[in-house]
Amino acid sequence: MLAALRPYARCVHLTRLALTDFRSYVQLDLELRAGVSTFCGANGEGKTNLVEAIGYLATLGSHRVATDVPLVRRGADRAVLRAAVTGAQGSMLVEIELNPGRANRVRLNRVPRPRPRDILGALRTVLFAPEDLTLVKGDPGERRRFLDELLVATAPRYAGLRADYDRVLKQRTALLKSAGSKSHLRGPARESMTATLDAWDAQLARAGAPLLAGRMRLVAALRPHVMTAYEAVSGVPPGDASGMSYRSSALNNDEFCDVPAPETAALETALLKALAGVRASELDRGVCLVGPHRDELELSIGGLPARGYASHGESWSLALALRLASFALLREGREDPVLILDDVFAELDTGRRERLAALVAGAEQVLVTAAVPADVPDVLAGARFTVRAGVVASAG
């Protein structure tokens, strides 16, 4: 069984959250403390908006929408999010100004930073939400996003690596589409086109190799935590437990994917070889067919693929196990991240509800939202708040 999460000596928690024109909140100034805080209110009153703001401060993204436009209250020009965080290194103030259609602005300890990603790592969260079911049942892109967000949480430098890869991928894809329409070229013109593609292949492999290496190391580290957490949440015997593996579109998976610490240089060479092998197909289709953007995190339960075979309860247990494993991995090297459970208990049967609550009760800071207070197990006693029409009030 996964031991209940016990408080670490290295404590970190969110002490204050202030919002201006974020979603349903015209103005909010909320003080928080360590331990469990529960936010109760009917659906549509602003509970998820609250935890969405906290998640955005940690990851620069929303777990609900892909763009910033819906995050700004209707009629407002911008939204401002502020969080005071207390940790082993002292207190920090994180500020984000959302400006749809323009560049967002960030400040750390009141000092402007040139890039939004410069604040990553100041606040770390692990968020459980109903949307997590797509981690198991959704498209591969959902699982790639899960890996990349966890990579950034473990080491913020991966945000820059991912941005570099996405930039090269976009430009190389545009070149493939253009080159495909010129496949009739011969002589020096064709040689020039081929040389240009070779150069972009090299850039894609160079940018993709460290991201691929990071993902593979992450999966190797995460795998035992996922298996243990799944057994703890679901209550199944070890023989029915979950499994996970990283399947690369570019590599010989039998050769590389069980290597706990793959060499970046070897991965770069393998990516170059794979790109050369699919060039004709890429030119025909005008898309990049190999690389980290085409990879898959394969999940299984009892030896069968989770996607398509897992029951609803099994899928929920596996999604929860992925988040619990993320928490366990993040707390190994640094302070506890803030643990957020957004309307999760309503989705679970009684057994899973009680087991999950027992597992997370000892985390440094747990934020829970629920439409029905009775859905929250008694072991998660702590501060209580009511949320109504964008107003948060203490309930004792």
Side-chain angles (χ1 to χ4, degrees):
M1 286 290 286
L2 181 70
L5 302 177
R6 294 179 293 274
Y8 271 23
R10 298 168 296 165
C11 301
V12 61
H13 62 278
L14 184 65
T15 57
R16 193 165 192 169
L17 176 69
L19 304 176
T20 301
D21 291 327
F22 181 87
R23 290 281 197 181
S24 57
Y25 291 96
V26 178
Q27 199 77 36
L28 173 73
D29 193 347
L30 178 65
E31 292 188 4
L32 295 164
R33 60 180 187 236
V36 179
S37 296
T38 301
F39 301 87
C40 296
N43 292 332
E45 298 293 337
K47 304 185 304 298
T48 295
N49 296 346
L50 189 71
V51 297
E52 182 183 29
I54 298 170
Y56 195 102
L57 283 156
T59 66
L60 300 177
S62 164
H63 68 289
R64 302 161 74 192
V65 294
T67 69
D68 291 345
V69 174
L71 305 181
V72 178
R73 188 176 61 85
R74 183 176 297 179
D77 295 329
R78 62 174 188 165
V80 179
L81 302 79
R82 296 183 179 90
V85 184
T86 297
Q89 305 303 318
S91 298
M92 289 184 289
L93 178 63
V94 184
E95 300 174 89
I96 302 177
E97 180 183 298
L98 301 180
N99 299 296
R102 295 171 291 140
N104 293 339
R105 299 178 181 178
V106 302
R107 296 198 301 175
L108 188 61
N109 293 330
R110 304 192 185 280
V111 177
R113 295 301 177 101
R115 301 169 303 185
R117 68 173 184 255
D118 291 339
I119 67 169
L120 291 171
L123 172 64
R124 299 189 306 163
T125 62
V126 172
L127 171 65
F128 297 72
E131 290 83 0
D132 283 346
L133 204 57
T134 62
L135 292 177
V136 179
K137 294 188 172 184
D139 294 331
E142 299 290 341
R143 290 176 286 281
R144 290 193 295 267
R145 178 183 174 186
F146 162 75
L147 288 178
D148 289 345
E149 288 182 349
L150 184 53
L151 267 180
V152 172
T154 60
R157 67 183 179 86
Y158 279 102
L161 292 174
R162 182 56 201 253
D164 291 342
Y165 181 79
D166 288 344
R167 175 183 53 79
V168 174
L169 176 63
K170 181 179 180 180
Q171 292 175 314
R172 184 177 182 274
T173 300
L175 179 63
L176 285 172
K177 291 179 180 178
S178 174
S181 66
K182 300 175 182 177
S183 57
H184 62 283
L185 294 176
R186 296 292 182 269
R190 186 172 184 82
E191 291 176 4
S192 177
M193 181 184 73
T194 300
T196 302
L197 281 172
D198 288 344
W200 280 105
D201 284 2
Q203 288 196 47
L204 191 78
R206 191 178 306 117
L211 178 61
L212 180 54
R215 285 183 183 175
M216 293 168 68
R217 285 192 291 266
L218 177 64
V219 170
L222 198 62
R223 185 182 294 116
H225 291 298
V226 171
M227 296 175 67
T228 303
Y230 181 81
E231 294 174 23
V233 171
S234 65
V236 302
D240 296 327
S242 64
M244 64 186 302
S245 61
Y246 189 85
R247 306 297 292 180
S248 171
S249 59
L251 308 180
N252 179 332
N253 291 286
D254 293 334
E255 177 183 354
F256 279 97
C257 286
D258 288 328
V259 178
E263 293 290 338
T264 302
L267 294 176
E268 184 175 339
T269 300
L271 281 166
L272 276 172
K273 181 179 178 181
L275 288 168
V278 298
R279 175 171 291 183
S281 297
E282 288 187 328
L283 287 169
D284 287 341
R285 297 174 60 179
V287 295
C288 185
L289 296 175
V290 295
H293 66 289
R294 305 279 293 200
D295 294 352
E296 168 69 295
L297 175 64
E298 294 184 341
L299 303 173
S300 62
I301 296 176
L304 294 174
R307 187 183 181 194
Y309 285 89
S311 68
H312 185 73
E314 288 172 332
S315 296
W316 257 114
S317 291
L318 185 51
L320 291 169
L322 289 170
R323 295 301 187 189
L324 283 170
S326 300
F327 187 95
L329 188 66
L330 288 173
R331 74 183 336 218
E332 284 181 349
R334 293 172 56 187
E335 303 97 341
D336 279 12
V338 177
L339 193 57
I340 303 172
L341 291 80
D342 181 27
D343 204 23
V344 167
F345 291 112
E347 303 284 343
L348 304 177
D349 58 42
T350 301
R352 288 181 173 86
R353 185 183 298 177
E354 296 294 335
R355 285 191 290 271
L356 175 62
L359 288 168
V360 306
E364 170 64 19
Q365 186 174 43
V366 185
L367 307 178
V368 182
T369 73
V372 180
D375 285 345
V376 182
D378 292 340
V379 70
L380 293 178
R384 296 270 175 161
F385 298 88
T386 60
V387 183
R388 184 174 182 181
V391 176
V392 181
S394 174

